[in-house]
């Protein structure tokens, strides 16, 4: 379950971030075979982000969009970390994807 939830947080963030979708978007059933083994069935309501626009010629153009990413809102775009006068690390804030 941990690996699946980690995957969902990257590839189906809308399922994890929306309380209503979480209530029904993940379900499972357990069938006990005996005292040592079980069968587990996991059901996920997965989605795919797609934009559909009508072109000037009248045809429908379809574009598969990248999944939303959980990028925290940072106050600054560039960060540095020092220990005294020693620069330990520096990095740029990742750009949010839409």
């Amino acid at each position: 379950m941990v690996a699946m939830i980690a995957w969902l947080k990257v590839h189906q963030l809308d399922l994890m971030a929306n309380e209503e979708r979480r209530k029904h978007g993940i379900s499972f059933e357990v069938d006990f075979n005996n005292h040592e083994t079980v069968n587990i069935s996991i059901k996920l309501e997965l989605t795919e982000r797609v934009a559909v626009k009508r072109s000037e010629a009248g045809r429908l153009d379809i574009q598969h969009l990248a999944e939303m990413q959980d990028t925290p809102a940072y106050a600054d775009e560039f960060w540095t970390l020092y220990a005294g006068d020693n620069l330990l690390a520096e990095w740029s804030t990742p750009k949010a994807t839409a």
Side-chain angles (χ1 to χ4, degrees), residues 2-60:
V2 172
M4 180 188 67
I5 291 174
W7 182 89
L8 288 170
K9 288 182 101 174
V10 172
H11 299 285
Q12 292 286 296
L13 182 62
D14 57 321
L15 177 60
M16 301 303 297
N18 183 304
E19 184 176 346
E20 284 302 311
R21 292 220 44 227
R22 277 195 314 266
K23 288 179 183 178
H24 307 287
I26 303 171
S27 61
F28 66 94
E29 296 177 15
V30 178
D31 182 21
F32 292 90
N33 297 324
N34 52 47
H35 292 292
E36 297 178 0
T37 64
V38 297
N39 290 332
I40 299 176
S41 172
I42 301 171
K43 296 179 183 178
L44 303 172
E45 291 183 9
L46 301 178
T47 60
E48 183 175 6
R49 294 184 67 216
V50 177
V52 180
K53 295 180 182 178
R54 187 171 302 278
S55 70
E56 290 181 17
R59 75 173 190 215
L60 296 176

Side-chain angles (χ1 to χ4, degrees), residues 12 14 47-51 63-69 97-98:
Q12 292 286 296
D14 57 321
T47 60
E48 183 175 6
R49 294 184 67 216
V50 177
Q63 178 184 9
H64 295 273
L65 304 173
E67 292 298 325
M68 296 182 304
Q69 299 296 311
T97 58

